[in-house]
Amino acid sequence: MKRFKRVLHIREEERELTQWELSSRMREEESIQAKLCEIEAMRDGALADFCSEKGIVSPQQLWFERQSLDVMEKKLDLNKQELECCRVKIEETKAELLEKHRNVQLMERYVGKLKEREDKKVLDAEQNNLDDINTMRFQRGFTGGADV
């Protein structure tokens, strides 16, 4: 019984660790989304500047602005890939957490059944002892208590 309780405790700790891992991944996802929004806002501002009428601008200035927009687009793509990877890991962690939760529930039921069996054995033993005591009292009363 003790061994199974230890196994149950270990499985509960594993589940808690997986829950912590999931919450960590979800915070990471939020962080990536915030970074994406920031980069998109910067890109939109740079794009608006690029498209606005500035008067006479050198080709070199246009090239630099275009390169800057390309760098922002690459950052956006990288962050989108990172976000997608993070979401895949979140789904994997959710599935793992679900499996660990099922394992904990299974173990809880098994330990519960073992405890019920143990309690029943104790109660049966107590009942047998009480029955023996009552039988001895009955026999003493029946024989007049002479054999004690």
Side-chain angles (χ1 to χ4, degrees), residues 82 129 134 140:
E82 187 179 354
N129 287 337
N134 283 333
R140 250 192 258 148

Side-chain angles (χ1 to χ4, degrees), residues 8 12 15 103-113:
L8 174 61
E12 286 172 340
R15 179 181 62 182
N103 287 340
V104 166
Q105 285 181 327
L106 240 164
M107 199 58 159
E108 284 174 340
R109 278 186 290 224
Y110 186 70
V111 167
K113 286 180 183 178

